[in-house]
Amino acid sequence: MPAEKPDARWTRTRQRLLDGGRKAFAVAGVEATTVLDIVRAAGVSQPSFYNHFATKADLAREIATEFFRKDRQAKLAVFEQIEDPAEAIAINIGQTLSIATRDSVIAWTLIKSEALRELVISSSNDPLVDMINSGVSQGRFNVENPRTVALVIRAAALAMVQDILNGTAGDAAATYFQKLVLQMLGLSPEESAEAVTRAQTRSELGEVA
């Protein structure tokens, strides 16, 4: 990637490219989007693009990296605040599903980009795995392979995000999904409902992001 230059105009152009890339990727996905699509959305020249990024994949990677950094920080903060791993995971899932309404551009980019979907699904050093392990050690969860379970949760969550984006998810779909995940981890229907209710109350009160 071209070296960054400490120049206000250079910085503004780079931000326009990032914003333009988000818009273009949301429409067609990373694979189908061209550099021309990006510069048109950004309102800059094509040579300007290559002053900042070697390829569209580099641009997509920077957009995704910033999102994943913030998302990971938010989830780690939840896991540090909440003692009950079931409640923490319910909050985690709620945050993930809320991408559809909170940032539909990045949500569509994730859904339409096979490369970025794979990055989400195959993330290593995942705080979700750590929290599942914590629940197992506390006797809260009954899971033989936390890594595999985390992969299933993440893949299903992306499918749910797409359902929400398409407007085909029911009003209570997110809540049902949260309960279903907790039951998959070994909680009873009653326990999962209680944990989800507490998680949603915390979110509504602004106690978590």
Side-chain angles (χ1 to χ4, degrees):
M1 184 181 296
E4 294 189 4
K5 304 174 184 179
D7 174 84
R9 181 179 177 184
W10 186 91
T11 301
R12 285 195 301 270
T13 299
R14 188 179 187 83
Q15 188 58 53
R16 289 175 70 176
L17 285 165
L18 290 168
D19 293 341
R22 284 167 57 91
K23 294 175 183 176
F25 294 152
V27 171
V30 175
E31 285 77 13
T33 297
T34 66
V35 171
L36 185 57
D37 294 329
I38 295 168
V39 297
R40 283 175 174 169
V44 302
S45 67
Q46 196 156 346
S48 293
F49 177 91
Y50 293 106
N51 286 335
H52 295 265
F53 302 98
T55 66
K56 69 174 182 180
D58 288 335
L59 172 61
R61 192 174 301 110
E62 181 159 335
I63 293 170
T65 297
E66 178 63 10
F67 167 77
F68 292 136
R69 182 186 65 79
K70 292 179 179 179
D71 186 63
R72 180 178 175 81
Q73 286 178 340
K75 286 178 169 54
L76 286 172
V78 168
F79 291 150
E80 290 173 357
Q81 295 173 39
I82 310 302
E83 293 183 5
D84 179 15
E87 188 178 341
I89 286 176
I91 293 171
N92 178 308
I93 293 167
Q95 290 175 332
T96 298
L97 299 184
S98 72
I99 296 169
T101 52
R102 169 162 60 90
D103 192 341
S104 60
V105 171
I106 193 67
W108 274 121
T109 300
L110 290 171
I111 296 301
K112 293 183 177 182
S113 170
E114 182 177 352
L116 295 185
R117 285 200 310 275
E118 288 300 317
L119 178 60
V120 173
I121 293 173
S122 62
S123 296
S124 59
N125 300 320
D126 178 18
L128 177 58
V129 175
D130 294 338
M131 187 51 62
I132 294 174
N133 278 319
S134 175
V136 171
S137 66
Q138 294 178 36
R140 189 77 162 123
F141 300 151
N142 181 18
V143 175
E144 292 185 6
N145 191 321
R147 170 72 177 164
T148 298
V149 172
L151 290 173
V152 171
I153 292 172
R154 183 162 288 105
L158 285 178
M160 276 296 305
V161 167
Q162 182 169 4
D163 204 30
I164 295 169
L165 286 168
N166 289 334
T168 49
D171 293 338
T175 297
Y176 179 74
F177 184 75
Q178 288 171 303
K179 294 177 182 178
L180 188 64
V181 167
L182 294 183
Q183 289 175 45
M184 181 174 66
L185 292 170
L187 271 67
S188 69
E190 294 75 19
E191 290 172 324
S192 65
E194 291 172 1
V196 169
T197 297
R198 291 196 303 271
Q200 292 178 342
T201 298
R202 285 184 184 275
S203 296
E204 291 168 2
L205 293 176
E207 294 180 9
V208 293

